[in-house]
Amino acid sequence: MKIEGFAYHRLRGVDDVELNVAVGGSGAPVVLLHGFPQTHLMWRHVARDLAADHTVICPDLRGYGESGKPVDGYSKRAMAADVVAVAAALGHSRFALVGHDRGALVAFRAGLDHPDVVTHLMCLDVLPTLDMWDVMHGTTAAVGFHLYLMAQPPGLPERMIEGAADEFFGYFLDQWANDAVAIPVDVRAEYLQASRNAVPSIVADYRASATVDVQQDEEDLAAGNKLRMPVTVIQQDWGTALGFDAATLWKTWTTNLHHQTTTAGHFMAEESPTEITTAIRTLLTR
């Protein structure tokens, strides 16, 4: 499936990894990065709206969808470098960046590594990697069982997930949505097929968040590096449920933060696209 009205390209990221990239509209560029267990298609509503007055760039992250799936190389630093390379190939040396879920972690890293490239940053429904691990404790950590499963050494996680791929990925599509109608049957089937075909690379992406991503975030924290551009964070109010203050955690990493919660479910760009599009447009005025 494709985003209606968008052109599709095969563009190189770093390390010769080819990315599947949808591009539409014209004007100041905005890059949209998808989450798990999805593809760039999750942006179909938001992207078409923004394309009225922006160049909108929607890649499949490396390891997902129709993009290349190398055996390794899933640090968020490498994945962020992919995004910068793709935008440059399209003629954009600076752009606003919006990420959801896994894509938000890539966006976060892009903002730290490429502050002269990323003009505005939005992260949807995540915490920075270090904070994510820190808030997971006790029985409440059960909600993130997939994080611990995919953090294990190569072999067992892949085999377990491949043995029941549709059930595994479908579980998150079902449990994380407040409005199941927001992900219609054909789109759900697309997500399941794409995820089923990418188990090793999806696991490698998550494994990186328990290894190299932690190391790189620790280095930035120790160095006092922060996101210098305007940042908006929108997330469900799961900080209240799990016992932490999400806005305070984000303030550690930012200099110009707007934080808000939403009543939409995790898949907010599909469940509440007008809310997210409006928030993006507001961010771009800061």
Side-chain angles (χ1 to χ4, degrees):
M1 296 178 66
K2 296 183 177 181
I3 300 177
E4 182 180 354
F6 276 52
Y8 280 73
H9 308 267
R10 299 291 297 181
L11 299 173
R12 290 195 180 278
V14 296
D15 306 321
D16 290 326
V17 176
E18 281 195 349
L19 273 66
N20 176 51
V21 185
V23 183
S26 62
V30 180
V31 179
L32 307 177
L33 304 180
H34 68 85
F36 161 92
Q38 298 168 293
T39 69
H40 76 282
L41 192 63
M42 63 154 282
W43 292 111
R44 60 196 179 278
H45 306 305
V46 173
R48 287 198 300 265
D49 192 334
L50 287 176
D53 50 5
H54 291 278
T55 298
V56 182
I57 303 167
C58 303
D60 284 334
L61 297 169
R62 69 161 62 191
Y64 290 81
E66 296 184 24
S67 287
K69 299 173 179 62
V71 173
D72 53 23
Y74 290 93
S75 71
K76 301 307 155 293
R77 175 161 288 161
M79 297 172 80
D82 284 340
V83 175
V84 173
V86 162
L90 292 168
H92 304 292
S93 60
R94 287 167 57 79
F95 53 84
L97 184 56
V98 181
H100 173 256
D101 189 81
R102 307 304 295 171
L105 298 180
V106 176
F108 174 81
R109 174 46 57 188
L112 289 173
D113 285 1
H114 306 278
D116 296 329
V117 174
V118 179
T119 63
H120 301 76
L121 181 67
M122 179 179 287
C123 293
L124 302 180
D125 222 29
V126 296
L127 290 174
T129 299
L130 284 180
D131 299 303
M132 174 190 73
W133 289 114
D134 284 347
V135 303
M136 303 292 283
H137 54 81
T139 57
T140 60
V143 71
F145 78 93
H146 61 300
L147 301 173
Y148 295 91
L149 172 62
M150 291 191 275
Q152 303 310 309
L156 183 60
E158 292 86 347
R159 290 196 297 273
M160 291 177 67
I161 295 169
E162 286 170 343
D166 284 4
E167 291 83 355
F168 180 77
F169 296 114
Y171 171 85
F172 301 102
L173 293 174
D174 294 337
Q175 294 296 314
W176 290 353
N178 287 353
D179 179 10
V181 176
I183 304 178
V185 172
D186 58 342
V187 174
R188 176 189 170 89
E190 180 88 359
Y191 292 158
L192 291 179
Q193 179 179 348
S195 298
R196 187 189 316 128
N197 293 337
V199 171
S201 53
I202 290 174
V203 175
D205 167 35
Y206 271 85
R207 185 176 291 119
S209 285
T211 53
V212 62
D213 294 342
V214 170
Q215 176 186 339
Q216 290 169 357
D217 284 5
E218 286 175 339
E219 291 169 354
D220 276 306
L221 187 64
N225 293 337
K226 294 177 180 284
L227 297 165
R228 304 295 176 183
M229 67 291 297
V231 175
T232 293
V233 174
I234 305 176
Q235 47 196 162
Q236 299 176 91
D237 196 15
W238 37 274
T240 298
L242 299 181
F244 62 88
D245 184 337
T248 297
L249 295 176
W250 271 103
K251 285 177 183 176
T252 301
W253 296 95
T254 59
T255 59
N256 183 356
L257 173 69
H258 172 75
H259 183 280
Q260 68 185 69
T261 57
T262 178
T263 58
H266 179 66
F267 303 110
M268 56 191 69
E270 291 166 289
E271 297 182 56
S272 189
T274 299
E275 176 187 9
I276 300 306
T277 304
T278 299
I280 294 171
R281 291 187 182 281
T282 301
L283 168 65
L284 296 177
T285 66
R286 287 166 53 198

